[in-house]
Amino acid sequence: PEAALWMLATVPPFWNFVVGQTGALAATLLAAGLLLLPARPLLAGAMFGLLAFKPHLGLLVPVALLAAGYYRTIAAAALTASVVALASVFAYGVEPWLAFAASLSKFGAFALADTNAAAYKMQSLFGFLRTFKVPAQIALAAQALLACALIALTWRLWRRPGASDHAHDLKAGILLSSAVLVSPYAFHYDLTMLTLAQAFLLRHALAASDAPATEIPQRDLIVILAVNALIMIFPPLSVPTGFLASLVLTAALLHRLSESEPVLLARFASFCAPARAAYRATS
């Protein structure tokens, strides 16, 4: 209960409450699926399937599930999403789906337009670059490169079986923070993902520490304060500093994972070695 209160005191739930959006629901479904995954894979799949209402926030989930061999979870997610979609058609007809499809192109054109003065609300690399007037196609290319790197990282982290329960907490936190980074359309209310990524970080830290359960380790407290300060200051600066917060939190989780499971990141480093060598050769 104390940990839950700490998480409610972070900044992202406040932004989600202010704008009345679905960020808390999406973050809860993804985090619940990750929490249930080792012991209740079918129920975890149901959570992931319900996240289908915001598919861009679950882009890394099938990568992780395929890498770890959770095929029953994939089937449960697909079945859940299909049942919910069919139920919506039965209840409301196909008109909402047609309207949704029509709105996608309109929103995409608005997000790419040079007249988009609200680009700073997109807490992604794309939004960060667009805020500083980087051309849309270059910003999209940079976002695509980042997405490819996150997909490769997710695959390597989840590929190795037999990792400890504590390592699972860190991998779950990394997937939550990466879910915000992988899509160009991550808004300030979607940063609630970071609240639950911080929860997984604390869950790991407190489980591995001899300190009382209500005492947050100092280095984790520093990370949490930095992450939430970055999220808090984006409106007055009109800069998507939530993107920087996602990077800071992902780096902190990766550092903690490198301490508890060094083989995981060592294999990822060897996997990326050819790409680094090619980059150095061309530059």
Side-chain angles (χ1 to χ4, degrees):
E2 292 87 354
L5 290 175
W6 271 106
M7 290 300 96
L8 287 175
T10 58
V11 177
F14 168 75
W15 288 129
N16 185 81
F17 176 78
V18 167
V19 298
Q21 263 286 353
T22 57
L25 175 59
T28 299
L29 289 172
L30 181 52
L34 292 168
L35 192 63
L36 293 165
L37 187 57
R40 306 285 295 276
L42 293 179
L43 186 56
M47 298 297 104
F48 295 142
L50 292 174
L51 184 62
F53 78 97
K54 277 203 171 181
H56 60 289
L57 294 178
L59 291 174
L60 295 176
V61 171
V63 178
L65 296 180
L66 283 171
Y70 285 106
Y71 303 116
R72 291 194 303 160
T73 305
I74 295 172
L79 178 61
T80 302
S82 300
V83 169
V84 171
L86 290 173
S88 74
V89 173
F90 178 78
Y92 303 109
V94 298
E95 289 77 10
W97 286 94
L98 297 175
F100 173 70
S103 70
L104 287 178
S105 60
K106 294 180 181 178
F107 177 76
F110 167 73
L112 293 172
D114 292 333
T115 56
N116 180 13
Y120 73 93
K121 293 182 180 180
M122 290 190 286
Q123 307 294 315
S124 61
L125 176 58
F126 173 77
F128 189 83
L129 295 176
R130 291 292 287 150
T131 300
F132 293 101
K133 308 302 181 185
V134 174
Q137 297 306 318
I138 295 178
L140 274 178
Q143 180 69 51
L145 288 174
L146 176 60
C148 289
L150 291 171
I151 290 170
L153 175 63
T154 301
W155 180 267
R156 296 303 294 179
L157 292 185
W158 289 82
R159 184 63 177 167
R160 179 172 176 261
S164 67
D165 291 339
H166 297 328
H168 176 79
D169 289 338
L170 294 174
K171 292 193 296 183
I174 293 168
L175 196 146
L176 279 162
S177 60
S178 298
V180 183
L181 292 170
V182 74
S183 171
Y185 305 120
F187 290 87
H188 55 299
Y189 46 81
D190 293 322
L191 296 177
T192 313
M193 292 281 186
L194 301 188
T195 287
L196 293 175
Q198 293 171 75
F200 274 108
L201 174 64
L202 286 183
R203 176 181 160 94
H204 173 271
L206 294 175
S209 174
D210 295 328
T214 56
E215 185 175 316
I216 299 176
Q218 184 176 6
R219 62 173 177 172
D220 296 316
L221 183 59
I222 292 172
V223 170
I224 289 172
L225 290 173
V227 166
N228 287 278
L230 285 169
I231 297 171
M232 185 181 295
I233 63 175
F234 94 88
L237 295 181
S238 296
V239 174
T241 50
F243 165 69
L244 302 178
S246 301
L247 289 179
V248 169
L249 184 55
T250 303
L253 286 160
L254 284 169
H255 177 69
R256 188 56 85 86
L257 184 61
S258 69
E259 294 177 341
S260 62
E261 295 281 337
V263 176
L264 283 175
L265 291 182
R267 290 187 177 185
F268 178 69
S270 63
F271 176 73
C272 294
R276 288 201 306 269
Y279 173 78
R280 290 171 182 170
T282 55
S283 57

